[in-house]
């Protein structure tokens, strides 16, 4: 017994030894791509975030401007800047609106399309999905023109006033994103064996009951997934406010955290603090999305 | 059969593509070798970033006459983005040889060591320009960082027909302008005499220059920053009062709404620069022949001042390998009579050189009702005063947009917004390590 066991172990070890470099060879392309396009740029961003320019005298002429090590000063400035946190607050409000409305509508549409009685299902599905195919900038411009009081066919309402601008922006995101999320949920629903529903009907369940007690519980993992994706997309909101900004004076250049990064890097020309702020933003969005996953993990995936 | 034929066609196309690619590849080294061996005699190749319309046509004339210096135009979008793009390219080490530089951005380019000193190459060109505009390219130093191209003295554009309709005179002072604003708005609440744009810091800078502001100045080895000086605060409070009163609108310039208001006769004046006709003719085509120009209203009756909005120069990149050739082209473009004629005709540019201004005779089509348009412009241009721009205008201008966006939306204190610009400017310069005079 003992000899066979050690023999087997030896054999296994030998096998692994023979495999040698092969697993690494399989991994190599992925690792190379990761290093080139993820690790290096991130590393460079971190490097930049630790530096700054120092000007001497008037700053005109040769050698008046040098790049020096700044330590964590850029991070201290990024974290200490009230505008960044005010931006987070605005995005949080906007995000809560978008998430609730977009995912809620997506779920309702998916459930409705999945019921047996709906007519023109294909057409409806496509027309709900279609806005997703419109590029964000085009969609925002289109809505932007609808929002301008003097041009809008919607009447003389100031959709871009300080009170309404968040809702107007959320509307663009919901309009564009609902279709995609609906399709994810709907595809999942179609994969559910029909027998479940038959069994439920035989037991006397109504369509609403089936939706609430069978379909939604089955959908929980995909709802979780779409939520995580949407959280990440919302944290990165940039296109809508940036495109609407020239049309109104209610959106500042630092409305969302990413807009502040853009402003620092390309408007005021301070690449270094822009790098530090982006690292801070990346950290926060990681915490947000992983935090959400951790909270819902047990319910969504039945893991312990 | 069809499939086979298709496949055949595909193979043929692929082969053709491959062979051209190969021949292209084999051509390149030989071409390079040729240019290397013939470097002293071969043509110098220059790239030029600009947003002047039809510049390629103007450059074609130069290329024809100068086979040894060939210029290629790369059309840019203009504005702040163009400046950011040039600074990034200069930092990355691959800037164009020549670049169109707005006067207010030139100090940032100089501070980033991105543009070359052209003092030796432009010694002769200096006489072609007035002292004010020349100061904008020397920044008050001994060096010369660009050749002036166009300038933007400010004047008042107004709807002649609607002024008659509402029974108002062309305002001579800003007090009269305010009175007219009240009259017009009272007669028709949907119509405004003008609007305050929180998106156009260059416009506000020009109005402040008219009032005598000096946002930056160099004293010894230090910068003095006075964005919140008395003149600027006066200008801001004046407009802030009118916006708060509700007789001046707060919609930004160059927006779809603004275009519509101009077209519909809902805005009666636009204090703008000499390049205004181009904007009006494309943004408000319906109102052609109904606008006229007058000098800007004055702060004190009897005075005669104006400011500058915009205007740009041609600079040579510090990293360009052919600086002398680039400087020769820049000088030709902005001082040669033929080039100036083309700039006026093809590029709709108001040249900064004295010779160029004299070439402007025929009024723009949009102002066909005002045959002395250019004479007016020249008279007003002579009264315009500018100021030295600092090394971080982009920060100041960004602060303007954010502060005045808020001030216009909330109808709050405009003087506080000016203070915000001052604070942001000083904080940024202090952080970078500039020496500041107290």
């Amino acid at each position: 017994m003992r000899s066979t066991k050690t023999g087997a172990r030896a054999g296994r070890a030998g096998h692994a030894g023979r495999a040698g470099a092969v697993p690494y060879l399989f991994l190599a392309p992925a690792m190379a791509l990761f290093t080139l396009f993820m690790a290096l740029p991130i590393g460079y961003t971190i490097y930049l975030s630790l530096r700054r320019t120092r000007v001497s005298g008037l700053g005109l002429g040769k050698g008046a401007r040098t790049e020096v090590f700044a330590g964590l000063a850029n991070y201290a400035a990024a974290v200490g800047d009230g505008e960044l946190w005010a931006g987070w607050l605005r995005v949080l409000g906007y995000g809560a609106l978008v998430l609730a409305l977009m995912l809620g509508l997506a779920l309702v549409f998916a459930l409705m399309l999945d019921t047996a009685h709906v007519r023109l299902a294909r057409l409806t599905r496509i027309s709900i999905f279609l806005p997703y195919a419109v590029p964000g900038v085009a969609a925002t411009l289109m809505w932007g023109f609808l929002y301008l009081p003097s041009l809008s066919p919607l009447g003389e309402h100031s959709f871009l006033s300080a009170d309404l601008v968040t809702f107007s922006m959320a509307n663009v995101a919901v309009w564009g994103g609902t279709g995609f999320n609906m399709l994810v949920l709907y595809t999942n629903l179609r994969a559910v064996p029909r027998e479940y529903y038959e069994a439920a009907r035989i037991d006397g369940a109504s369509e609403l009951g089936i939706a609430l007690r069978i379909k939604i519980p089955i959908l929980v993992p995909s709802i979780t997934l779409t939520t995580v994706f949407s959280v990440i997309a919302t944290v990165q909101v940039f296109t809508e406010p940036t495109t609407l900004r020239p049309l109104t004076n209610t959106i500042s250049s630092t409305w969302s955290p990413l807009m502040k990064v853009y402003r620092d890097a390309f408007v005021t020309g301070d690449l270094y603090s822009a790098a530090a702020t982006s690292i801070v933003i990346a950290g926060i969005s990681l915490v947000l999305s992983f935090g959400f996953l951790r909270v819902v993990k047990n319910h969504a995936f039945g893991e312990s | 059969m069809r499939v086979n034929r298709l496949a055949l066609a595909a193979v043929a196309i692929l082969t053709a593509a491959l062979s051209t690619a190969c021949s292209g590849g084999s051509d390149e080294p030989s071409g390079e070798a040729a240019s290397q061996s013939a470097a002293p005699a071969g043509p110098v190749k220059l790239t030029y970033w600009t947003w002047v319309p039809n510049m390629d046509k103007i450059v074609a004339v130069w290329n024809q006459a100068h086979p040894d210096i060939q210029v290629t135009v790369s059309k840019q979008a203009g504005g702040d983005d163009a400046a950011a793009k040039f600074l990034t390219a200069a930092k990355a080490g691959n800037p164009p040889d020549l670049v169109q530089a707005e006067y207010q951005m030139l100090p940032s380019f100089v501070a980033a060591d991105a543009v070359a000193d052209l003092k030796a190459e432009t010694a002769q060109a200096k006489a072609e320009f007035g002292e004010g505009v020349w100061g904008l390219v020397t920044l008050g130093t001994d060096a010369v960082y660009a050749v002036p191209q166009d300038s933007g003295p400010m004047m008042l554009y107004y709807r002649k027909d609607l002024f008659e309709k509402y029974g108002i005179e062309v305002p001579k002072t800003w007090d009269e302008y305010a009175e007219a604003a009240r009259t017009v708005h009272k007669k028709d609440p949907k119509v405004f005499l003008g609007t305050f744009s929180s998106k156009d810091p260059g416009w506000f800078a020009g109005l402040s220059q008219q009032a005598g502001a000096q946002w930056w100045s160099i004293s010894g080895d230090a910068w003095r920053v006075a964005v919140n000086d008395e003149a600027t605060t006066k200008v801001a409070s004046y407009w802030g009062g009118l916006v708060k009163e509700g007789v001046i609108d707060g919609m930004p310039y160059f927006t779809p709404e603004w275009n519509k208001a101009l077209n519909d006769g809902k805005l009666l004046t636009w204090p703008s620069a000499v390049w205004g006709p181009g904007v009006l003719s494309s943004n408000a085509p319906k109102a052609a022949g109904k606008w006229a120009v007058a000098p800007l209203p004055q702060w004190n009756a009897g005075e005669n001042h104006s400011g500058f909005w915009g205007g740009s120069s041609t600079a040579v990149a510090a990293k360009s390998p052919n600086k002398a050739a680039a400087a020769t082209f820049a000088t030709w473009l902005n001082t040669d009579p033929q080039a100036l004629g083309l700039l006026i005709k093809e590029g709709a540019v108001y040249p900064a050189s004295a010779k160029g201004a004299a070439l402007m005779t025929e009024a723009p089509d949009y102002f066909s009702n005002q045959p002395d348009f250019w004479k007016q412009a020249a008279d007003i241009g002579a009264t315009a005063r500018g100021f030295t721009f600092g090394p971080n205008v982009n920060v100041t201008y960004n602060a303007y947009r954010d502060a005045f966006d808020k001030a216009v939306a909330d109808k709050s204190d405009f003087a506080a917004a000016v203070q915000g610009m001052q604070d942001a400017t000083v904080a940024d310069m202090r952080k970078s390590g500039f020496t500041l005079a107290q």
Side-chain angles (χ1 to χ4, degrees):
Chain A
M1 277 302 273
R2 186 179 282 181
S3 68
T4 42
K5 212 171 187 181
T6 43
R9 201 177 282 162
R12 218 177 286 150
H15 186 72
R18 245 179 291 132
V22 173
Y24 298 103
L25 215 64
F26 281 125
L27 269 176
M31 289 311 284
L33 287 177
F34 177 81
T35 315
L36 261 178
F37 297 111
M38 292 289 292
L40 275 181
I42 292 175
Y44 185 57
T45 310
I46 294 176
Y47 168 77
L48 277 181
S49 71
L50 298 174
R51 303 183 66 81
R52 69 186 195 85
T53 47
R54 199 204 320 266
V55 172
S56 52
L58 288 175
L60 304 176
K62 276 208 177 334
R65 193 169 277 225
T66 45
E67 200 182 287
V68 294
F69 182 70
L72 293 175
N74 289 330
Y75 286 94
V79 175
D81 188 344
E83 244 334 271
L84 182 69
W85 303 110
W88 276 114
L89 266 184
R90 282 187 289 263
V91 166
L92 223 64
Y94 162 87
L97 244 153
V98 171
L99 282 182
L101 271 175
M102 183 172 72
L103 296 176
L105 281 175
L107 181 62
V108 169
F109 285 142
L111 288 172
M112 278 164 62
L113 281 176
D114 192 53
T115 54
H117 310 298
V118 77
R119 282 165 211 274
L120 292 174
R122 270 176 80 98
L123 184 73
T124 318
R125 211 165 60 219
I126 288 179
S127 44
I128 298 175
F129 180 71
L130 212 57
Y132 182 68
V134 178
V137 172
T140 313
L141 275 181
M142 187 194 80
W143 278 104
F145 277 77
L146 288 177
Y147 290 154
L148 287 175
S150 66
L151 299 171
S152 174
L154 305 173
E156 296 254 329
H157 305 289
S158 39
F159 292 103
L160 294 174
S161 67
D163 309 326
L164 291 180
V165 73
T166 304
F167 295 91
S168 301
M169 256 188 283
N171 175 48
V172 180
V174 170
W175 181 81
T178 302
F180 172 76
N181 289 298
M182 175 206 73
L183 215 63
V184 172
L185 299 179
Y186 177 73
T187 318
N188 258 280
L189 276 179
R190 299 309 283 181
V192 175
R194 301 280 115 180
E195 290 83 12
Y196 290 8
Y197 307 149
E198 269 169 44
R201 281 193 197 102
I202 290 169
D203 286 348
S206 65
E207 283 295 324
L208 187 66
I210 293 175
L212 288 180
R213 297 202 191 152
I214 299 179
K215 291 183 179 177
I216 292 186
I218 288 177
L219 275 182
V220 166
S222 12
I223 294 178
T224 313
L225 189 79
T226 49
T227 310
V228 171
F229 285 161
S230 307
V231 166
I232 295 174
T234 323
V235 166
Q236 298 178 347
V237 61
F238 178 77
T239 313
E240 289 89 355
T242 308
T243 315
L244 283 179
R245 193 167 121 75
L247 300 180
T248 169
N249 40 35
T250 49
I251 303 169
S252 71
S253 64
T254 50
W255 191 87
S256 82
L258 270 196
M259 286 173 77
K260 183 170 155 32
V261 172
Y262 179 85
R263 185 203 69 178
D264 288 349
F266 300 113
V267 179
T268 59
D270 187 354
L271 216 52
Y272 312 97
S273 49
T277 312
S278 15
I279 299 283
V280 171
I281 292 174
I284 291 177
S285 45
L286 270 182
V287 168
L288 273 183
S289 33
F290 277 105
F292 177 76
L293 270 184
R294 232 189 136 74
V295 168
V296 298
K297 190 164 71 175
N298 300 345
H299 303 284
F301 305 115
E303 290 171 23
S304 51
Chain B
M1 266 323 274
R2 179 174 287 173
V3 176
N4 274 344
R5 218 182 275 166
L6 262 180
L8 260 178
V11 168
I13 290 168
L14 260 178
T15 326
L18 272 175
S19 64
T20 46
C22 288
S23 67
S26 62
D27 263 5
E28 231 170 301
S30 64
E32 219 167 81
S35 77
Q36 261 168 14
S37 62
V44 172
K45 291 204 160 106
L46 302 172
T47 48
Y48 177 21
W49 284 7
T50 177
W51 57 89
V52 170
N54 296 319
M55 184 53 92
D56 44 344
K57 287 186 193 164
I58 303 169
V59 162
V61 172
W62 161 273
N63 284 344
Q64 185 110 44
H66 299 82
D68 51 333
I69 303 177
Q70 293 290 304
V71 181
T72 310
V73 169
S74 168
K75 184 103 195 226
Q76 302 298 308
D80 293 350
D81 289 346
K85 191 173 160 185
F86 175 71
L87 281 172
T88 312
K91 200 167 198 176
N94 55 354
D97 299 285
L98 292 142
V99 65
Q100 181 173 0
E102 288 179 287
Y103 295 120
Q104 79 273 12
M105 292 313 293
L106 203 54
S108 316
F109 291 179
V110 174
D113 209 2
V115 290
D117 179 2
L118 309 175
K119 187 175 171 57
E121 291 90 340
T122 54
Q124 305 228 308
K126 188 180 173 198
E128 304 278 336
F129 300 95
E131 234 170 78
V133 74
W134 194 252
L136 289 174
V137 295
T138 63
L139 316 183
T141 65
D142 286 335
V144 177
Y145 293 107
V147 183
Q149 181 161 78
D150 61 331
S151 76
M154 289 183 75
M155 39 208 206
L156 185 72
Y157 291 83
Y158 66 97
R159 277 291 290 264
K160 204 170 183 182
D161 56 332
L162 296 178
F163 264 47
E164 277 159 24
K165 181 181 161 195
Y166 292 107
I168 42 178
E169 295 282 315
V170 179
K172 293 246 174 340
T173 62
W174 285 112
D175 282 338
E176 287 177 28
Y177 186 87
E179 241 356 277
R182 293 185 188 105
T183 312
V184 168
H185 193 61
K186 206 195 255 166
K187 287 194 175 159
D188 187 344
K190 282 195 170 161
V191 175
F192 291 96
L193 186 66
T195 179
F196 184 91
S197 175
S198 57
K199 303 285 185 196
D200 295 284
W203 169 76
F204 183 71
L207 290 178
S208 303
Q209 288 169 349
Q210 188 211 10
Q214 290 288 342
W215 287 4
W216 287 271
S217 50
I218 296 175
S219 70
D221 205 22
W223 285 100
R224 188 182 295 280
V225 183
V227 181
N228 61 345
D229 64 6
E230 210 181 308
T232 311
T233 311
K234 174 172 73 180
V235 175
S237 304
Y238 170 81
W239 288 96
L242 294 178
V243 168
K244 192 167 186 181
E245 215 181 306
V247 294
I248 286 289
D249 200 13
M251 77 167 83
Y253 299 148
F254 311 112
T255 58
E257 268 202 303
W258 182 69
N259 295 347
K260 187 159 193 301
L262 287 179
N263 257 324
D264 296 353
K266 297 272 161 65
L267 272 179
L268 305 194
T269 69
W270 184 31
S272 178
V274 69
W275 40 259
V279 176
L280 288 173
S281 62
S282 61
N283 295 22
K286 273 204 246 166
K290 294 176 180 163
W291 287 81
V293 281
L296 280 186
Q298 300 297 315
W299 284 104
N300 299 307
E303 272 180 1
N304 211 359
H305 295 300
S306 179
F308 290 102
W309 182 11
S312 59
S313 57
T314 313
V316 174
K319 289 216 175 76
S320 165
N322 300 305
K323 283 187 203 107
T328 313
F329 170 76
T331 311
W332 172 84
L333 179 66
N334 299 311
T335 60
D336 183 87
Q338 189 191 8
L340 291 169
L342 286 166
L343 275 175
I344 294 164
K345 189 165 152 270
E346 302 285 353
V349 154
Y350 181 73
S353 86
K355 233 188 283 170
L359 287 172
M360 317 283 290
T361 45
E362 206 175 313
D365 288 345
Y366 198 83
F367 284 86
S368 50
N369 58 323
Q370 195 164 10
D372 67 338
F373 182 89
W374 292 119
K375 192 187 168 316
Q376 281 261 22
D379 291 350
I380 295 167
T383 68
R385 50 184 180 185
F387 54 53
T388 309
F389 283 103
N392 63 338
V393 173
N394 36 6
V395 172
T396 314
Y397 277 19
N398 182 70
Y400 170 85
R401 293 194 187 96
D402 276 345
F404 278 96
D405 266 354
K406 210 167 153 26
V408 170
D410 302 349
K411 300 197 169 183
S412 60
D413 186 10
F414 277 27
V418 166
Q419 186 60 42
M421 289 167 71
Q422 165 81 3
D423 294 345
T425 311
V426 169
D428 177 73
M429 288 181 80
R430 195 157 278 154
K431 186 178 146 206
S432 303
F434 287 99
T435 314
L436 291 178
Q438 289 313 313

